[in-house]
Amino acid sequence: MPAWAELTGPHSDLTGPTVWHRAFLGPVTGALRDPMGPFAGCKPGAHRAKEVPPMEPLG
């Protein structure tokens, strides 16, 4: 079950949304906005292409 659904569902604690924001939203937003992150080349009115990171084959 996704974290948001688990932390905000009918059987969850009232602090669930706060826990989600602290545990998931902050770290994900930080990674996305990092100067070396996936959106590093995105600027208002401009886009700078970024190299695709190397990936190892599965298996």
Side-chain angles (χ1 to χ4, degrees):
M1 175 181 287
W4 178 256
E6 186 174 327
L7 291 168
T8 61
H11 303 292
S12 65
D13 189 331
L14 292 176
T15 61
T18 302
V19 171
W20 185 85
H21 279 85
R22 183 189 66 231
F24 295 95
L25 182 62
V28 169
T29 303
L32 293 175
R33 298 183 73 190
D34 186 272
M36 297 302 292
F39 297 139
C42 300
K43 306 290 180 218
H47 177 75
R48 178 175 40 93
K50 190 172 179 188
E51 287 185 34
V52 176
M55 295 176 52
E56 297 196 20
L58 296 174

